[in-house]
Amino acid sequence: MTAQAEAGVGAILKRVVANAGVLLGGRSVNAVLGLAYLAVAGRSLGAAQMGVLVLITAFAQFLGDVVKFQSWQTVIHYGARPLAEHDRTAFQRMLRFTIVLDVASTVLGVAIGVAGAFVFADELGWDGAMAPVAALYMLSIVFLVSATPMGLHRLFDRFDVLAQQTALVGFVRLLGSGVAWAAGGGVPAFLLAWAAGSLAGWIYLIAMALIELRRRDLLAGFSWRGRLAEGLPGVWRFAWNTNLAATLDVAFTHVATLLVGALVGPAQAAFWRVGRQVADAIAKPAKLLTPALYPELARLRAGDRHDAMWRLVRHVAVLAGGVGIVLLGVAAVAGGPLLSLVMGKAFAPAAGVMTWQVAAAVIGIFALPLEPMLVSLGKPGLAVRVRLAVSAAFLVALPFLVSAFGLTGAGAGLVAAAAAMALGLLGFILRENGTRRRETPPPSGSDDSLKGEA
């Protein structure tokens, strides 16, 4: 590897870190606001009613994550080359495809959510009296499916908009939760406050995407006519695989919360959710490298710079892993006191499972660039295989772990699943890299694949 090639990767890494830093500003604000509005809800409702609130919102978020096609990844994967080549027609075909997917996903998610709120009320942790309220909250799934504008902002390097949108959601939810607490409202009032935050963020994201598209003159001549996948080879396979990978990822978040609630009750589900919120907040600075990494990998792939992609992934893994180790130490020392201080003494029992959740998050931090690498290489199916195997094993084992060991068992299972996921993805990455090296003859002379890249 030449010094110039390494400098090219270094320049890209700096851009990834810079964009992640912008996101970190918004997510850090949102993490603080998230803990704040959870604390307001917890102190107002108590552990049992807080658990009902958590289970309803988890069900809506679960459906939103499952039904949406992760079309932001399609935007980046199929939009990077047309954008670089100023091919407006090809870019608009990609945009039409992802918008249609988002709309269809929204309709399906709302329909399933409304019906499920009534049909599975007892199984999901709320009674029949709360079912109409839960069904009404399922309408907020509309505001959870905004993958296309999110992908556009990432492709356009407008990470500042994403940071602002994230902070806006948390601010509106905190403001609404404060009003609900002051008014003595119960679970319905807090659901309304959280839905208002999602609505505000959704409107802002779409409005800013439209402004950016018009500024770049990418909407002129836009048409809905033509075959949906025209000019997008392999797009359906890509969309289904990325959607399935994200759906399986939900097993580590919302499905686990729902299962814990079904097995041991809403109060334990609240402990699990609070612990996961803290774990996510601690791991967020490193994990924010992922959305900043996708566009850079897509650009390198568009230029057929596969060696540069592999080097960038290694650099990000080392950087993120170092941050993760430091954050794990912070969680081990300050996690318990933080819960008691913020949420109240009633939530102190969540400290034990929170430590397990943070450990799982740190393992995920080490592995965070692996899945973006596979997706950017057009191999999302490999990530799906790993997630399918690990998620199935985790979900099958979770009832036994919870029944035998309580929340500690669930936390330990989460750690084991995160480790298995990381090793599986790494194995496919190493295999894919070896295959490409065998298929590509070594260049003669010096490596100039990255000249001028910075």
Side-chain angles (χ1 to χ4, degrees):
M1 185 195 311
T2 66
Q4 189 171 6
E6 183 65 25
V9 173
I12 297 174
L13 181 61
K14 290 180 181 178
R15 193 159 58 239
V16 170
V17 174
N19 285 331
V22 173
L23 288 176
L24 177 59
R27 296 294 179 89
S28 296
V29 172
N30 188 58
V32 174
L33 294 174
L35 287 174
Y37 66 69
L38 278 175
V40 171
R43 291 177 180 273
S44 176
L45 299 175
Q49 287 298 299
M50 172 71 173
V52 173
L53 174 68
V54 164
L55 291 169
I56 292 174
T57 55
F59 183 56
Q61 188 68 55
F62 164 71
L63 289 175
D65 288 344
V66 167
V67 299
K68 70 180 178 184
F69 271 83
Q70 298 299 308
S71 49
W72 68 268
Q73 294 189 26
T74 305
V75 168
I76 293 174
H77 190 77
Y78 285 89
R81 191 183 296 272
L83 184 65
E85 297 174 353
H86 306 287
D87 188 346
R88 185 168 58 194
T89 300
F91 190 89
Q92 289 180 353
R93 283 198 292 260
M94 173 278 299
L95 189 60
R96 179 185 62 188
F97 179 85
T98 59
I99 291 175
V100 170
L101 284 190
D102 281 358
V103 172
S105 300
T106 299
V107 173
L108 179 62
V110 170
I112 295 175
V114 171
F118 287 98
V119 175
F120 302 110
D122 292 333
E123 290 80 0
L124 291 172
W126 57 85
D127 56 28
M130 188 60 66
V133 176
L136 188 61
Y137 182 78
M138 296 305 139
L139 298 178
S140 70
I141 293 173
V142 172
F143 316 130
L144 300 177
V145 184
S146 55
T148 293
M150 182 181 297
L152 290 172
H153 289 305
R154 289 174 176 174
L155 186 61
F156 296 152
D157 274 335
R158 290 304 309 271
F159 288 88
D160 57 325
V161 172
L162 298 176
Q164 293 158 9
Q165 183 257 357
T166 301
L168 177 62
V169 172
F171 176 77
V172 173
R173 285 183 173 180
L174 177 59
L175 182 63
S177 296
V179 172
W181 188 13
V187 172
F190 282 93
L191 288 173
L192 179 61
W194 291 14
S198 299
L199 171 61
W202 182 76
I203 292 174
Y204 181 74
L205 203 63
I206 291 177
M208 294 302 293
L210 289 173
I211 291 173
E212 191 68 20
L213 286 168
R214 289 195 179 98
R215 187 181 72 82
R216 295 170 180 265
D217 196 29
L218 289 171
L219 291 179
F222 182 86
S223 174
W224 294 101
R225 296 179 180 178
R227 292 182 293 109
L228 187 59
E230 181 181 357
L232 303 171
V235 70
W236 278 113
R237 179 184 295 273
F238 183 89
W240 279 110
N241 279 328
T242 52
N243 176 62
L244 183 55
T247 298
L248 295 172
D249 187 40
V250 172
F252 293 93
T253 53
H254 309 302
V255 171
T257 301
L258 294 170
L259 281 176
V260 169
L263 291 168
V264 291
Q268 296 293 305
F271 294 157
W272 176 270
R273 175 66 175 81
V274 169
R276 192 59 187 260
Q277 179 79 12
V278 174
D280 288 345
I282 290 173
K284 190 64 70 178
K287 293 176 71 174
L288 285 177
L289 291 169
T290 300
L293 181 62
Y294 267 108
E296 302 299 342
L297 288 173
R299 294 185 187 103
L300 290 174
R301 175 187 171 276
D304 294 322
R305 299 184 178 102
H306 298 293
D307 285 343
M309 293 174 70
W310 178 238
R311 291 197 296 273
L312 180 60
V313 162
R314 292 202 305 265
H315 283 305
V316 171
V318 172
L319 175 63
V323 175
I325 291 175
V326 173
L327 294 174
L328 179 59
V330 172
V333 173
L338 177 64
L339 280 181
S340 297
L341 176 64
V342 175
M343 300 298 300
K345 292 183 179 180
F347 288 85
V353 71
M354 185 193 70
T355 303
W356 286 103
Q357 290 168 315
V358 172
V362 170
I363 294 173
I365 288 172
F366 271 102
L368 70 84
L370 299 180
E371 186 168 350
M373 177 70 165
L374 287 174
V375 172
S376 298
L377 289 173
K379 301 288 185 178
L382 298 180
V384 169
R385 294 183 194 177
V386 178
R387 288 200 177 278
L388 183 60
V390 174
S391 297
F394 176 66
L395 293 178
V396 168
L398 187 59
F400 166 76
L401 293 172
V402 173
S403 299
F405 306 104
L407 290 185
T408 299
L414 194 66
V415 170
M421 189 80 68
L423 291 174
L425 292 173
L426 179 60
F428 277 124
I429 281 286
L430 293 174
R431 190 188 74 174
E432 184 67 19
N433 186 56
T435 300
R436 290 183 180 275
R437 287 187 179 278
R438 288 193 299 270
E439 293 176 350
T440 304
S444 58
S446 62
D447 178 8
D448 61 353
S449 63
L450 292 177
K451 288 182 179 179
E453 190 172 304

